[in-house]
Amino acid sequence: MLLRQWREGDWRGLHRTYGDPEVMDWIGSASLSVENTAFAVGRMSMQWRLLGYGMFVGRVGLMLHPDWPLAGPKVEVGWTLQRSVWGRGYATEGARASLEFGFRELGLPEIFSMTRPDNARSRAVMERCGLTRRGELEFHGQLQVHYAIARDDWEAVAVQLGHCEIRRVS
C-alpha cells in the first residue's frame, strides 16, 4: 500500500468519499460539496507543509489535536475510505502504516483513535492494530469510543503484524 501526500487534483477522488452520504454518516457529517472537498484537500496539504505530517491520500493518516480534551495534545490515527473498497483490508493496512510512521518517524509516545460506539468495522480495525478501548467521550456533540496504544505496546503488535517499509518520496 502506498500512502502519499496530497497533490493538485486529488479532491476529485476524495469527493467520491466526501460526497457519499453513507460514508459521511459514519463520520458524523453531511456529504460535502465539491468546493468544500477541494477546500479540505487544501487544508490537509497545508498541514503537511507546516507540520511535516497530516492526513495521507486515502484519508488514512495522523492528525494532531492540540486542544484535545483528554489532557493535552494528542495525535490520532484515522481512516475514511470510499464505500467501494470497504471490507478489503485497506483501513487496517493504512492504520498500521500510520502507526508505524507516528511511532518510528515522529517518535510519538502514544496514538489514539475514536469512532461511534456502533461502528463495529472501525473498532475492529483499531483492535487488530493493537489499540485498546480507553473509554467514551463527546466529540463535536457525538458520543465516541476512545482507543489508544502506547509506543511500547505497539512494538509487540508490530512484530506480529510485520513492519512497514517507510520511504520518503518527493
Side-chain angles (χ1 to χ4, degrees):
M1 169 177 270
L2 173 68
L3 301 177
R4 64 171 172 77
Q5 293 180 27
W6 296 90
R7 289 184 250 186
E8 188 174 332
D10 280 338
W11 60 269
R12 290 178 186 93
L14 182 60
H15 190 65
R16 287 192 296 274
T17 303
Y18 278 14
D20 184 327
E22 184 177 353
V23 173
M24 296 306 286
D25 182 55
W26 287 110
I27 296 172
S29 173
S31 58
L32 298 185
S33 67
V34 171
E35 294 82 11
N36 285 337
T37 301
F39 175 77
V41 169
R43 185 174 27 85
M44 290 182 279
S45 297
M46 187 56 64
Q47 184 179 21
W48 273 102
R49 287 188 200 111
L50 294 173
L51 302 174
Y53 62 89
M55 301 304 275
F56 295 102
V57 170
R59 192 89 152 91
V60 179
L62 301 170
M63 183 167 52
L64 177 67
H65 289 286
D67 299 316
W68 189 250
L70 299 170
K74 299 286 182 186
V75 175
E76 175 188 10
V77 63
W79 47 90
T80 304
L81 302 174
Q82 291 178 16
R83 192 164 19 121
S84 64
V85 299
W86 287 0
R88 297 186 186 180
Y90 295 133
T92 300
E93 189 66 18
R96 184 175 70 103
S98 296
L99 289 164
E100 182 99 10
F101 181 80
F103 288 128
R104 198 169 81 191
E105 299 294 316
L106 300 177
L108 300 172
E110 183 178 52
I111 297 175
F112 82 95
S113 191
M114 64 182 173
T115 191
R116 291 181 0 197
D118 61 338
N119 193 339
R121 288 180 172 180
S122 286
R123 292 174 70 173
V125 169
M126 293 179 220
E127 291 166 5
R128 278 193 294 275
C129 291
L131 285 82
T132 57
R133 185 175 173 161
R134 304 291 172 90
E136 294 181 346
L137 55 96
E138 189 175 309
F139 187 70
H140 292 290
Q142 291 190 338
L143 180 66
Q144 302 284 308
V145 287
H146 166 234
Y147 284 71
I149 187 168
R151 167 186 262 150
D152 293 342
D153 296 328
W154 166 249
E155 294 299 329
V157 172
V159 169
Q160 293 176 338
L161 293 175
H163 283 283
C164 300
E165 178 185 352
I166 297 174
R167 291 181 296 142
R168 293 187 182 267
V169 295
S170 56

